[in-house]
Structures are given as C-alpha cells and as structure tokens.
Amino acid sequence: MTTDLPIKIEGFSKNYGSSPAVENLTLMVEKGEVFGFLGPNGAGKSTTIKSILNFLTPSDGKISIFGLDSVKSSVEIKKHIGYLAGDISLYDSMSGLQLIRYLTRLGRSTNWTYVEKLAKGLQISLEAKIGTLSKGNKQKIGLIQAFMHQPALLILDEPTSGLDPLMKQIFYEMVLEMKQMGNSIFVSSHDLNEVQTICDKVAFIKSGKLIGIENIKEDFDFTIRRYTVTFKQPIDTQKFKGINSVSDITQNENKVTVTVTGNVSEFLSKLSNLHPIDLSEEDTNLEDVFMKYYEV
Amino acid sequence: MLNTTFYIYLMSRWKSIAVWSICMFALALMFTSLYDPFKGEFDDMLDNAPALMEAMLGPIPTDSSISPEVWLGIELYGLLFPIMISVIAISAGASAVGSEEESGTIELILASPISRERIICEKSFGIFAQLAIMGGVLWLGIVVGSFLFPFDVSLINVLSATVMGCIFGLTISNLTLATQALKGRKGLALAIGSCFVGISYVFNVLSGISDNLHSLKYVSLFNYYDGPGVLVNGLNTTSLIVMVCLSAVCFTTALYVFKRRDIGV
C-alpha cells in the first residue's frame, strides 16, 4: 500500500461495445469512511464495483486502491479487500468452514477468532453444507467471507439482502466495528434507512453518470416525505402553496397529496388549521429522494 | 495442495473421476480376458481375408497372428479410449472455469489475492491430473489383466499408448479451455471442442482412404495420437512433441485471453 486513500477513481469510464455503462466517474473514499454508492438498477454501480476489483478493465480513466493501480497491482490490492457480491454465489457442496479454509488458502489472512465471533453474532453454523442453507443464511456466510480477514477496504453490494431486521442490526454493528478500526467500507444499497444508519458519505449514480456526492452526516437532508391528507370535503390547495417546504401538490376530491422537504413543522401547523380527518405517509423510495433532491 | 483451486477442482469432480476410472478398469479387464477366446477367430479372418484385415488394422506382419498389442489397438486404443478421453477432456476444459463463471463462484476466487494466470494453471493441471488418473487406472487394469489371463503384452508400449492418449486429451482440454477463456461461454467451448475432435477423426479416416487426401493426416490430432501404432511400435517421439507443442500453444492462449477478458459482465 503506497497511500492511505482506499479508493480513488479518476475519469473512469466503461463501455460495453459501443454503449457506455459508466461515464467519466470521479470519486474518492477516505480512510475510515463508510461510503454509500447508490443508484437505480442499471445505473452502473456493479460495473464500477467490478472494475475496482479488476473483474472488468476500465475503458478509460484510472482506479487506484491504496495508491496501487487496480489493473496492474490487482493481486496485491486484493490482500486488503473484502468483497460481497450482490447476488453472491457460493460452493453448495462446501460447508461454511470449508469455504473459509479454501479462501484462506487462496491468500486471505483469516482471523479465525474473528470468524468465530462473526458466526456467533450472525447466529450461523459454519458446519452445515452451504447448499442446505436458506438465502439469508447464505448471505451471512457471504458476509463472514468478506469480513473474515478484517480487510482495510470492504466492498459490499447489497449486503443486507435477505437478512431479517435483527441480523441487519448486527451487520450495522459489524460495519461500525470495522470503521472504528480505521477500515473503509464502500457499500451499494437500496435501503434508505441502512444508508442513513451506516454511511458517512453517499454518491448517487444514474445512467452511468455521477449525479452528486453528499456528506449525509453533516449537510445532507434525506427527509423528503410524501403525505396524503384526507379532509371532510375538498379544500383549496392554494393554502399550501405559500409553504416553502411543500411541493408536488395533487388533489383527488377530498384527498390531497403533497411532498414535504426538510422540516415538517410549518406544514403540520398549517394543516392543523384545516382540520384533516386522516394523514398517511407513503414509503419513500431512495431513488425518488435523490431525484427530488437533485431535481433530475 | 489442499484447498488450492487445483485440489478443489479435483474434489468437485471426484464422483465423475471415480465412475470413469471404474469403467476404464473394467474395460481393461474385459478386453484382456476376451483376447484368448477371440484370438483364433481373428486369426481365421486374417487367413481368409488378409486384405480386409489390413485395411481395418493397417500393416500386419505376414508371419504373425493377432498379437495382444494389435488386439488392444483394435478393441480399445483405436477408437474407444481416445473417444472416452475426448469426452472427458471437452467436458473438463469447458467447465473448469466455465462452470464457475456460470454459477458466479469465479468472483469469490477473483476477489482473492490470486492471479488469473494461477487460476488457469491450476485448472489445467487439475484436468491433466484427472486424465492421468484415468489413464493410469486403464493401464493398471491391463497390468492386472495380463497377470490374470493369458495376455502377454508389452506393458511399456501400453503405458506409452496411454500417455499418448492422456496428452491427446490434454491438448483437447486446453483447446476447449482456451475457447472458454476467450469468450466466457461454456456451450461454445463444448461445441468447438466437439467439432475439433469430430473433424480431426474424419480427416484421419479420409487420409487413409485416398492418396489425394493423405496430407489431411497432418492436421488430424488422431494421427499424432496413433495409439494402435504406439502399441505395436513403441512411442513416437515426434508425434509426442507435436501434441505437447499444440497443447502448450492452447494453454498459453488460455492464459493470455483469460487475463485480459472482462469477467462477470
């Protein structure tokens, strides 16, 4: 490792034939940072992750991992990386323990005490054949193989897919522990709560282009909510128009749907004067939040 | 060697290796046991239709009856053994990396500090070990058969023919491996490997039928394998070198293209 900078991507592009998958992507992940990498399906997240790992060769630009070129120094780099694929495939005929032994033999410096701790925390037996495990339990084995050597850089693609809420919480603790050790985590996720819980910084990518990077712990407000309010009878929606935080107002007879960005107090204060009979909040999609935030 | 890609490859195929090995051993015992009862009938055919037999078996010394070497050449090493080895080699070459790419487990290996060259080396070495085990079992079966039945064969020549068969298989598997490494498609590699063996066999047959087509034998891998010839005349070093060189070219191609190809697209 020649620098402390876990990931430095400069002008990275990747084309499949003549169609670009990622265009001119530039970003950096700092030491000890949990970096969220978000975007809709087909945005270029997996292409970027696979290029960091040298599964794919960049068409243009440069990717450096700890100061080493991702293509030329791929083998050296992977000593310091743990990777969990989005749709992880494991050897069904092996047990979890056999898989970890195999990966250790391939050059990973496994911390066996830590492996036992992870298995205990995630409540998974390493003795069972992987082929007999449920999707969630396979995901736990996938997490263990990614964390088992306490890598300086973890690259996780949809890490909590298939995990129940309790296991998600344990995963968040695992991430926090790695972060406290000064290790960095590059995580792709669709889960808004997960991103808000674990990430320090978030990049959003769409159609292969970087839309923005935000420091969510400090200055990025994810609180974009969509409410449906029911009144006894149709009301004049002009009454909401003076509120800066309210937008996208639609009305369907006595139901009004609005989007509230940031602080909701002014909206709720005005709403209480209109005597609503019901108020419901819709699920907010992460992509919608970013689309709204960047107005793209 | 434990827990290396080589070892894991062999372990993942142990059932197939075991079944094929049992078949090889059984075939060896069967043909060594059948030699004595059928030798007389072959000698009669040789007396009654020498031209036909020579066309089938190639040049036969006038003073000889069917020897154990010729018998093995007709029954086992002429077609059955190379076809069995071809089937195993094509399947192994196409699936050694191809199955891991299809299932996605290749990403586990590629995410580890191991070079792509080492992956190809260990897989190819694994295939060769698989072929060598089967060839070794076949030879062992003939050795056992030669003790159990009246079958006085040159075990050195049998070993030489078996080695040629294994190198023949390795060449085919490396060609198939190179095709899979180039395009990342197991099905295509299976098709190319099968076509190569089929065309190679047809060329070898055609080259023996007509003088005009005689030169086709130089592009047929079966010509260089020539198990029946090796059984009678011993190892042909030139043919061995040609097959080893061909195998090395295919292996180097596999290394080169696999290192540069996008994986997991």
Side-chain angles (χ1 to χ4, degrees):
Chain A
M1 293 197 284
T2 59
T3 73
D4 273 350
L5 201 60
I7 300 178
K8 186 179 182 186
I9 301 176
E10 298 170 282
F12 162 68
S13 298
K14 179 65 187 176
N15 303 325
Y16 294 128
S18 57
S19 48
V22 179
E23 290 179 79
N24 197 26
L25 176 70
T26 296
L27 60 83
M28 277 192 295
V29 177
E30 306 282 347
K31 182 174 162 52
E33 190 171 71
V34 182
F35 193 100
F37 194 51
L38 314 172
N41 290 333
K45 301 190 300 292
S46 292
T47 297
T48 304
I49 285 175
K50 287 176 178 178
S51 298
I52 290 171
L53 290 156
N54 193 37
F55 298 174
L56 309 176
T57 307
S59 304
D60 199 7
K62 188 179 177 188
I63 300 174
S64 302
I65 309 297
F66 298 113
L68 299 169
D69 184 89
S70 67
V71 177
K72 290 177 189 163
S73 306
S74 171
V75 175
E76 174 62 25
I77 284 169
K78 284 166 190 168
K79 289 178 185 169
H80 311 289
I81 289 184
Y83 170 58
L84 175 70
D87 48 350
I88 188 163
S89 296
L90 305 168
Y91 296 95
D92 285 348
S93 59
M94 288 186 189
S95 68
L97 196 59
Q98 285 172 325
L99 176 72
I100 291 166
R101 281 189 189 137
Y102 175 41
L103 296 175
T104 304
R105 190 68 188 177
L106 293 182
R108 301 193 197 178
S109 308
T110 306
N111 180 336
W112 286 100
T113 311
Y114 187 56
V115 168
E116 284 175 24
K117 183 184 163 190
L118 290 175
K120 194 175 173 185
L122 288 167
Q123 298 167 23
I124 178 79
S125 164
L126 295 176
E127 305 296 333
K129 291 276 183 203
I130 291 168
T132 65
L133 299 177
S134 66
K135 184 180 185 296
N137 282 340
K138 284 182 183 173
Q139 188 74 1
K140 291 177 189 176
I141 299 287
L143 283 170
I144 292 172
Q145 67 80 29
F147 280 74
M148 68 188 207
H149 48 308
Q150 296 177 314
L153 173 62
L154 267 163
I155 297 174
L156 309 172
D157 196 354
E158 300 291 343
T160 54
S161 166
L163 296 185
D164 60 46
L166 180 63
M167 288 302 121
K168 281 185 182 178
Q169 195 55 46
I170 290 166
F171 165 72
Y172 300 152
E173 288 166 15
M174 287 161 61
V175 169
L176 184 64
E177 189 180 4
M178 293 294 281
K179 180 178 156 66
Q180 285 167 346
M181 291 162 68
N183 300 338
S184 309
I185 296 112
F186 187 80
V187 57
S188 157
S189 177
H190 279 98
D191 187 332
L192 181 60
N193 289 328
E194 184 170 294
V195 170
Q196 286 178 310
T197 304
I198 63 174
C199 293
D200 301 307
K201 208 180 270 183
V202 186
F204 189 70
I205 185 172
K206 183 171 182 276
S207 303
K209 290 175 183 163
L210 185 69
I211 303 296
I213 300 177
E214 299 296 338
N215 190 333
I216 64 171
K217 295 286 187 202
E218 291 172 10
D219 51 23
F220 185 68
D221 192 353
F222 263 120
T223 50
I224 294 176
R225 298 185 176 92
R226 192 141 177 88
Y227 292 108
T228 298
V229 191
T230 309
F231 298 94
K232 276 186 180 172
Q233 54 196 23
I235 62 151
D236 178 10
T237 56
Q238 291 294 327
K239 289 173 180 169
F240 292 116
K241 295 233 167 123
I243 308 171
N244 288 334
S245 59
V246 173
S247 60
D248 298 339
I249 304 165
T250 55
Q251 185 171 25
N252 183 8
E253 295 182 353
N254 63 333
K255 288 190 176 182
V256 176
T257 304
V258 298
T259 298
V260 182
T261 307
N263 197 318
V264 296
S265 60
E266 190 182 357
F267 165 68
L268 292 177
S269 171
K270 183 77 87 177
L271 185 64
S272 64
N273 295 331
L274 299 171
H275 307 294
I277 57 172
D278 190 35
L279 174 68
S280 61
E281 184 180 348
E282 295 176 8
D283 287 341
T284 314
N285 180 292
L286 186 59
E287 276 84 57
D288 292 342
V289 172
F290 268 89
M291 297 297 176
K292 180 73 189 165
Y293 187 81
Y294 289 106
E295 294 183 349
V296 289
Chain B
M1 283 295 178
L2 288 180
N3 280 331
T4 58
T5 310
F6 162 76
Y7 176 78
I8 294 298
Y9 170 80
L10 279 185
M11 285 301 100
S12 70
R13 296 192 148 244
W14 76 267
K15 285 180 189 165
S16 159
I17 292 171
V19 170
W20 278 106
S21 296
I22 291 167
C23 288
M24 294 281 187
F25 195 81
L27 281 172
L29 284 182
M30 184 179 84
F31 286 119
T32 51
S33 69
L34 291 177
Y35 169 70
D36 198 48
F38 281 89
K39 181 169 72 92
E41 292 187 19
F42 264 91
D43 287 342
D44 290 345
M45 287 172 70
L46 191 60
D47 290 339
N48 296 330
L52 175 66
M53 291 301 281
E54 191 159 327
M56 284 170 59
L57 310 177
I60 300 170
T62 49
D63 59 342
S64 75
S65 59
I66 295 290
S67 66
E69 288 82 6
V70 173
W71 168 259
L72 278 182
I74 297 166
E75 297 293 344
L76 190 55
Y77 283 81
L79 193 58
L80 190 56
F81 178 53
I83 290 296
M84 288 170 80
I85 281 287
S86 299
V87 170
I88 295 162
I90 292 167
S91 163
S95 60
V97 178
S99 291
E100 300 236 33
E101 278 203 68
E102 278 186 357
S103 69
T105 51
I106 192 77
E107 293 196 356
L108 280 174
I109 302 177
L110 291 176
S112 302
I114 175 173
S115 67
R116 293 192 186 192
E117 292 94 324
R118 193 179 136 195
I119 295 170
I120 290 291
C121 284
E122 291 197 16
K123 293 284 189 185
S124 181
F125 189 40
I127 295 168
F128 183 64
Q130 180 183 359
L131 295 171
I133 289 169
M134 290 174 193
V137 170
L138 179 71
W139 181 75
L140 192 66
I142 292 169
V143 172
V144 172
S146 70
F147 284 108
L148 293 178
F149 311 107
F151 193 74
D152 186 18
V153 71
S154 165
L155 291 174
I156 295 294
N157 282 5
V158 173
L159 181 63
S160 299
T162 309
V163 168
M164 290 296 276
C166 292
I167 302 293
F168 169 80
L170 183 66
T171 308
I172 294 166
S173 69
N174 279 344
L175 171 79
T176 317
L177 182 66
T179 310
Q180 198 286 328
L182 176 67
K183 302 302 284 182
R185 290 164 58 193
K186 187 178 160 188
L188 179 70
L190 285 169
I192 297 274
S194 304
C195 282
F196 174 76
V197 171
I199 291 169
S200 194
Y201 179 71
V202 169
F203 279 9
N204 195 46
V205 171
L206 290 177
S207 70
I209 291 173
S210 164
D211 287 345
N212 293 334
L213 300 173
H214 183 70
S215 55
L216 280 179
K217 74 174 189 177
Y218 296 110
V219 291
S220 169
L221 198 61
F222 278 85
N223 170 58
Y224 298 106
Y225 155 66
D226 190 24
V230 174
L231 283 167
V232 175
N233 305 314
L235 192 65
N236 182 333
T237 316
T238 308
S239 293
L240 178 66
I241 290 170
V242 170
M243 283 204 296
V244 167
C245 289
L246 273 174
S247 184
V249 168
C250 293
F251 174 71
T252 309
T253 305
L255 279 181
Y256 182 83
V257 296
F258 189 65
K259 186 176 180 183
R260 284 156 183 80
R261 185 166 62 80
D262 285 345
I263 293 171
V265 177

